[in-house]
Amino acid sequence: MTTTSWNHSSRLYAVLAVCLLLAAAVAPAAAVSVGETDVPDSAAVGSEVSVTIQLTELYREPSLEEWELAGSTELENPTWTVVFFDQTGSKIGQESFGGQEFSGATVAASDDIDQIEVQLRGTVPSVTEYTYDPHQRFTAATLEQVPPGGGSNELASEEVPYFTEDSQSARSALDAAASAIENAGNPNEASSTFDLAVNAYESGNFDNARQLAQEAQNQAERAQQQDNRNQLILMGVGALLVVGLVAGGFLYWRSQQDSNDRLG
Amino acid sequence: MKLALIGFGQAGGKIVDKFVEYDSEKNTDIVRAAVAVNTAKADLMGLEHIPENNRVLIGQSRVKGHGVGADNELGAEIAEEDIDEVQGAIDSIPVHEVDAFLVIAGLGGGTGSGGSPVLAKHLKRIYTEPVYGLGILPGSDEGGIYTLNAARSFQTFVREVDNLLVFDNDAWRKTGESVSSGYEEINEEIVKRFGILFGAGEVEEGGEIAESVVDSSEIINTLTGGGVSTVGYAREEVESPSNNSSGGGLLSRLTGDDDDDQLDTAHTTNRITSLVRKAALGRLTLPCEIDGAERALLVMAGPPAHLNRKGIERGRKWLEEQTGSMEVRGGDYPVRGSGFVASVILLSGVTNVPRIKELQQVAIEAQDNIDEIREESEDNLNDLIQDDDDELESLF
């Protein structure tokens, strides 16, 4: 019985070891790698933003001598600029594209291209769907590698949280409410009001969301005050109990003494 | 019974001090006022419970606060001279609230021995309330001068008070005690007896009411007629609710439940009669033959459940037989929550007291001896300072 179970487990260990070895062998086989990227942390709707993505290790995994770079974005009125560098880091060429999608920037080893920098400028689009958690985002840039035979590999995809003035103020109200609720130990009433506020936010009803968030925050604070008060009352009762016990004990002790027995 | 206590001299002051302590500690409410009078400043300073302005130092012009040195004639003289100072302290006592005065003094010393009869006389002249004395007799080993003082003071004190309660240190002396602890214990015994006796008639608010009350008037009537009184005391521990493990914990004590109702009546009765016998035939404050007593009072004190009328009646009857007096009063003094049942017997007008006779005998001897030695010593002194043939002349 014991030997079989040992056999089982040893086999398991063997399988695990093999898996680990395989993983170690596969891991270095990375595709085209993304170097420095410059993407804004968040962006207001209607503002102009720029995104920069560097690509290196251009001809590994799959080892292609030549391929085409394609890209897409949700930014409006975008301008794509693809800049090529050689191994010494000197710029050797540049191509520009318009439109939310571009393709056809040829990357070939024979052209001495060793690094690519994709620069993109455009206007942040209006929000299609609001989500509180995670923050609603738009795709600022997606880069793909198109091999000569067709098909595509995604190289990079950058998403940026975006907002309007209204949504941002509603969101900060929601954030404040959330932290108040957490501090108060997640009271039920405040949590459900908070859920309603999130719903209102997600359906774009920001005034309502703000109000609900404010209310949730108030409820949470009230709950916390109540909690504090209860705790205080409990402590008071406890203290009274202790005092009572001590006094009672003392009186009992004194009553046990014979000192006030007139006949004692 | 509410008393105005006046302690005269060192022993008197200490006993009154002890009385005040007992009164406040046991909440008996019998001491309405307490005054200490002395010729020695140190003795007054040693008191702890008597208020400062009730401590009267007399005879400052004569003895400068150093006491009279066991000279009771001087004590009496000073008391007479400074009686107004004592009266000044007594004036602050609301006398209308007081049932009696009790003048307490050691009879063997100087100040109390000499001054207390003077004060008693003064009080009797001014107030209608009875004036009782509590005199402490010195032990026979204390010396001839003290015995002489006591014998002379006793004679006078009995004459001047309405009744003289006597406590004989001789009967309470123990061997191997230090002076202070010995007196301390004796004072405690004194206070315990008289505390129960005088506390019997005092009903406090919310307290237990006796079945047959021993009122102040019963005590006063027992003491009327003058003479000398002695007190007997005996007690026995009983299962009080506080140490009764079978029934009644803290809760029943709080709610006042008492399951002592089922106490065996026969047992209770027997205990009471045996306590009465023990008190009367045991150690009295002044040992005497009880069959000569004119009047007697029996007080049974203890938790109400442990007192029964039948027992008290039986004890009273037994006391009548023993004293041969028809004037024997009796009653109960319920003390809720006490762990003891105690009997206190006051025998008033006792006449057959061998100890007093012995005291007087010793006193006469002492007096003769003192006179003799005084005369002799005069001659001896002359012999000493005069030369044999009277040849020398004095300077001037």
Side-chain angles (χ1 to χ4, degrees), chain B residues 180-197:
Chain B
S180 67
S181 83
Y183 281 131
E184 183 82 9
E185 242 169 70
I186 286 176
N187 289 352
E188 244 165 59
E189 294 290 345
I190 293 171
V191 168
K192 194 187 290 174
R193 280 158 180 74
F194 292 101
I196 296 173
L197 177 66

Side-chain angles (χ1 to χ4, degrees), chain A residues 23-256:
Chain A
V26 166
V32 175
S33 60
V34 179
E36 275 179 36
T37 57
D38 180 16
V39 181
D41 292 337
S42 62
V45 169
S47 66
E48 189 149 295
V49 294
S50 63
V51 174
T52 308
I53 302 170
Q54 280 184 358
L55 298 174
T56 56
E57 317 273 339
L58 300 173
Y59 309 108
R60 286 195 199 164
E61 287 300 322
S63 48
L64 298 167
E65 288 292 305
E66 186 177 317
W67 49 279
E68 283 184 355
L69 179 68
S72 65
T73 179
E74 285 178 13
L75 285 171
E76 283 164 358
N77 305 321
T79 322
W80 299 87
T81 308
V82 182
V83 186
F84 302 103
F85 298 90
D86 66 7
Q87 274 175 327
T88 63
S90 335
K91 180 174 165 183
I92 52 172
Q94 145 172 355
E95 279 181 69
S96 290
F97 305 92
Q100 288 189 318
E101 284 181 13
F102 83 93
S103 57
T106 309
V107 181
S110 55
D111 292 341
D112 261 359
I113 298 173
D114 184 59
Q115 247 184 61
I116 304 172
E117 190 177 287
V118 179
Q119 294 165 357
L120 168 65
R121 289 182 71 83
T123 311
V124 177
S126 54
V127 180
T128 49
E129 194 188 357
Y130 289 97
T131 57
Y132 174 68
D133 190 23
H135 198 308
Q136 70 271 359
R137 287 158 191 272
F138 72 97
T139 308
T142 307
L143 297 179
E144 284 174 350
Q145 180 185 42
V146 183
S152 70
N153 282 329
E154 190 177 289
L155 298 178
S157 178
E158 294 298 337
E159 289 193 333
V160 177
Y162 63 149
F163 54 86
T164 63
E165 203 177 311
D166 270 356
S167 83
Q168 191 60 10
S169 80
R171 170 171 286 275
S172 53
L174 278 165
D175 286 345
S179 74
I181 287 169
E182 200 185 328
N183 285 341
N186 301 315
N188 284 338
E189 194 191 13
S191 295
S192 60
T193 312
F194 181 75
D195 288 346
L196 288 176
V198 170
N199 281 344
Y201 175 88
E202 290 183 346
S203 56
N205 212 342
F206 300 121
D207 278 344
N208 199 5
R210 250 196 311 278
Q211 280 166 11
L212 285 168
Q214 189 62 47
E215 198 181 325
Q217 188 176 352
N218 291 344
Q219 282 167 350
E221 280 163 6
R222 265 202 303 278
Q224 183 158 26
Q225 275 172 11
Q226 183 82 34
D227 219 45
N228 288 348
R229 197 161 44 229
N230 285 350
Q231 207 165 351
L232 215 76
I233 289 170
L234 249 148
M235 272 163 65
V237 168
L240 273 177
L241 226 103
V242 169
V243 167
L245 272 171
V246 168
F250 176 70
L251 285 178
Y252 184 71
W253 171 78
R254 246 188 54 180
S255 76
Q256 293 299 297

Side-chain angles (χ1 to χ4, degrees), chain B residues 18-38:
Chain B
K18 199 91 197 157
F19 235 118
V20 176
E21 185 188 347
Y22 171 92
D23 190 51
S24 64
E25 220 172 64
K26 320 262 175 174
N27 207 11
T28 48
D29 205 18
I30 51 179
V31 180
R32 187 64 194 81
V35 176
V37 185
N38 210 326

Side-chain angles (χ1 to χ4, degrees), chain A residues 248-249 251-264, chain B residues 22 26-28 192 196 204 235 250 253 301-302 333 338-340:
Chain A
L251 285 178
Y252 184 71
W253 171 78
R254 246 188 54 180
S255 76
Q256 293 299 297
Q257 308 297 306
D258 284 339
S259 67
N260 58 357
D261 186 345
R262 289 179 191 179
L263 311 178
Chain B
Y22 171 92
K26 320 262 175 174
N27 207 11
T28 48
K192 194 187 290 174
I196 296 173
E204 70 211 80
R235 72 167 193 192
L250 186 63
R253 292 191 58 196
Y333 172 26
S338 172
F340 299 91

